[in-house]
Amino acid sequence: MVMKEDEKRQTAFHEAGHAIVGLLVPSHDPVYKVSIIPRGRALGVTMFLPEEDRYSQSKENLESQISSLFGGRIAEEMTFGSENVTTGASNDIKRATEIARNMVTKWGLSARLGPLAYGEEEEEVFLGRSVTQHKNVSDDTAHAIDEEIRTFIDRNYDRAKNILEENRDKLQTMSDALMKYETIDSEQIADIMAGRTPRPPETWDDDSAAPVPGGGLATGDKKDDGKQSGDTIGDPAEQH
């Protein structure tokens, strides 16, 4: 797939937004690669790799994930204006909302609602994937759940926005590096976050201004609203 220059630039800012927020919030998995080369149905990807196996996650880590998920949309809005934000963040929004909802209704991480489970579902096996949901909360409790989900979302959206506003120079530098190299790894990312000019990737050939053949860069199809793999909590994550 051949991307238009303006679409490529918007994707670069989107992925840079994910990466920078993920790098600067606490307890987040490290960023090890950012790419704007289409893969699957996504135009770009930001890859996070846990430093060790994780079988459970803290409230701090979950909130940091929510913040980083909104980094892409916020970077687009800051750079191109609210009227030019794309649909590429729709899956990010869905995933952030799912994390916040689970924090409130499944994992007992809301101080207001406490360690209770809300909205239990029963699957009827003979109907395949059909699910019957029994209402087991009052209207007042349902309203409180919605308010708590909104609280988690708003708090982490605002945090991500503040981080990117304070690091506009790094956002610009990382998007420029992505426009030039298309894929950057932990070395270039470390250069950018330290305020240095990012070094060229090892597979980069300055003479041809293109990646050296055999460099392992993937190609893909058109952009989806989100992530291809790693949705399970605790797995290596990819954000689009």
Side-chain angles (χ1 to χ4, degrees):
M1 187 178 87
V2 178
M3 293 171 59
K4 295 180 181 178
E5 192 72 8
D6 58 346
E7 191 170 36
K8 187 176 179 181
R9 170 67 70 180
Q10 195 139 4
T11 301
F13 275 99
H14 184 103
E15 299 306 330
H18 280 314
I20 290 171
V21 175
L23 286 161
L24 296 177
V25 289
S27 301
H28 200 288
D29 293 331
V31 181
Y32 76 95
K33 185 177 290 187
V34 185
S35 177
I36 59 169
I37 293 177
R39 56 190 70 208
R41 297 168 63 192
L43 290 183
V45 60
T46 299
M47 301 180 183
F48 301 93
L49 183 66
E51 294 178 307
E52 57 187 16
D53 290 338
R54 180 183 290 137
Y55 301 100
S56 63
Q57 289 185 293
S58 67
K59 181 179 179 180
E60 182 177 70
N61 174 263
L62 292 165
E63 291 208 47
S64 289
Q65 287 187 48
I66 295 172
S67 291
S68 66
L69 282 164
F70 282 117
R73 175 189 172 89
I74 293 168
E76 287 188 34
E77 185 171 354
M78 285 172 53
T79 308
F80 304 102
S82 58
E83 67 280 2
N84 292 313
V85 171
T86 68
T87 60
S90 65
N91 193 63
D92 298 331
I93 294 170
K94 178 182 177 181
R95 290 169 55 207
T97 305
E98 286 175 351
I99 292 172
R101 182 173 295 279
N102 286 338
M103 291 176 73
V104 174
T105 63
K106 292 184 179 181
W107 301 329
L109 297 177
S110 164
R112 178 180 176 185
L113 293 170
L116 295 174
Y118 300 92
E120 304 237 347
E121 296 177 343
E122 292 182 6
E123 291 195 23
E124 297 177 346
V125 177
F126 59 90
L127 291 179
R129 297 185 63 186
S130 177
V131 175
T132 301
Q133 183 169 357
H134 300 281
K135 183 177 180 181
N136 61 356
V137 297
S138 68
D139 290 339
D140 288 343
T141 301
H143 182 65
I145 289 170
D146 288 341
E147 288 183 337
E148 279 296 274
I149 293 170
R150 166 66 69 177
T151 296
F152 280 119
I153 293 296
D154 287 349
R155 178 164 67 234
N156 287 285
Y157 186 96
D158 290 343
R159 176 169 63 168
K161 187 173 183 178
N162 289 335
I163 287 172
L164 290 176
E165 286 177 342
E166 293 170 1
N167 292 274
R168 282 179 179 267
D169 56 336
K170 296 179 177 64
L171 180 65
Q172 183 68 54
T173 301
M174 189 174 293
S175 65
D176 288 343
L178 285 168
M179 289 295 292
K180 181 176 182 179
Y181 302 126
E182 295 188 319
T183 297
I184 58 175
D185 58 22
S186 57
E187 290 185 346
Q188 289 81 46
I189 293 168
D191 286 338
I192 293 166
M193 298 309 291
R196 299 187 297 265
T197 301
R199 72 197 76 177
E202 291 182 1
T203 56
W204 186 258
D205 181 358
D206 280 327
D207 292 334
S208 62
V212 173
L217 299 180
T219 58
D221 201 359
K222 86 177 203 181
K223 182 171 186 178
D224 188 19
D225 314 303
K227 173 177 173 182
Q228 303 297 311
S229 63
D231 280 336
T232 303
I233 291 295
D235 288 347
E238 296 183 3
Q239 294 184 353
H240 304 296

